Amino acid sequence: MASAAFSSQGTKIYINEIKVGGVKTMGGPTTTKPRIHVTDFDSAAREYISGLKDNGQYTFSVNYLTGDEGQKELRRSLDRPEAQTIRVDLPNDPSTSLPREVWEFAGIVEGFELSGDVDAPMEAAVTITVAAGGGTVSPP
């Protein structure tokens, strides 16, 4: 049977409906949920309840493109206190020509860190914290 795995080539990231150019890598969101220890003297074994889910952070890196409107919007968002609309379109399914999944969430842009090295392109690391309520992951 053929694998259902697919390449990440063709993934698109948008902020406030503006496509971010030069995207090279992505990771997250790093969703976690703590366990709360509630064992007492009447317990026969350790007991836990679920805590609140933390929708974590979504990170990606880009080749720094000074004229790219999406990267400009990311930098402008650093000065905004409110969450921005973030959308990630996973690569298209060749049988439908539609994204395999679309992730959409409210996110607070917390970092846009430039870096460079000898014989390497100027890059930026972007950090977005997923705002309360999380996001939706759905097929198109």
Side-chain angles (χ1 to χ4, degrees):
M1 180 172 183
S3 172
F6 58 94
S7 170
S8 56
Q9 191 69 27
T11 298
K12 295 175 181 63
I13 300 173
Y14 299 84
I15 178 167
N16 300 328
E17 298 301 322
I18 302 169
K19 184 180 177 290
V20 178
V23 177
K24 298 171 54 162
T25 66
M26 64 172 229
T30 53
T31 305
T32 60
K33 186 161 93 171
R35 65 179 184 183
I36 301 170
H37 184 218
V38 295
T39 306
D40 61 30
F41 288 142
D42 293 324
S43 299
R46 290 191 179 270
E47 295 179 282
Y48 300 93
I49 60 173
S50 179
L52 294 174
K53 182 171 80 166
D54 181 342
N55 290 306
Q57 294 182 323
Y58 182 71
T59 59
F60 58 96
S61 67
V62 297
N63 287 322
Y64 183 53
L65 308 172
T66 58
D68 182 74
E69 290 303 316
Q71 291 187 27
K72 288 180 185 179
E73 183 69 4
L74 285 165
R75 293 193 313 274
R76 285 190 293 264
S77 295
L78 287 167
D79 294 327
R80 298 179 186 141
E82 68 276 356
Q84 309 300 302
T85 301
I86 309 299
R87 191 178 90 224
V88 180
D89 291 359
L90 295 187
N92 288 351
D93 182 330
S95 65
T96 65
S97 297
L98 297 171
R100 284 179 170 86
E101 284 185 346
V102 175
W103 304 347
E104 189 166 304
F105 57 91
I108 299 167
V109 179
E110 292 190 348
F112 191 94
E113 180 181 350
L114 291 176
S115 65
D117 203 345
V118 175
D119 290 333
M122 184 66 81
E123 299 177 336
V126 179
T127 304
I128 299 173
T129 295
V130 179
T136 57
V137 177
S138 61

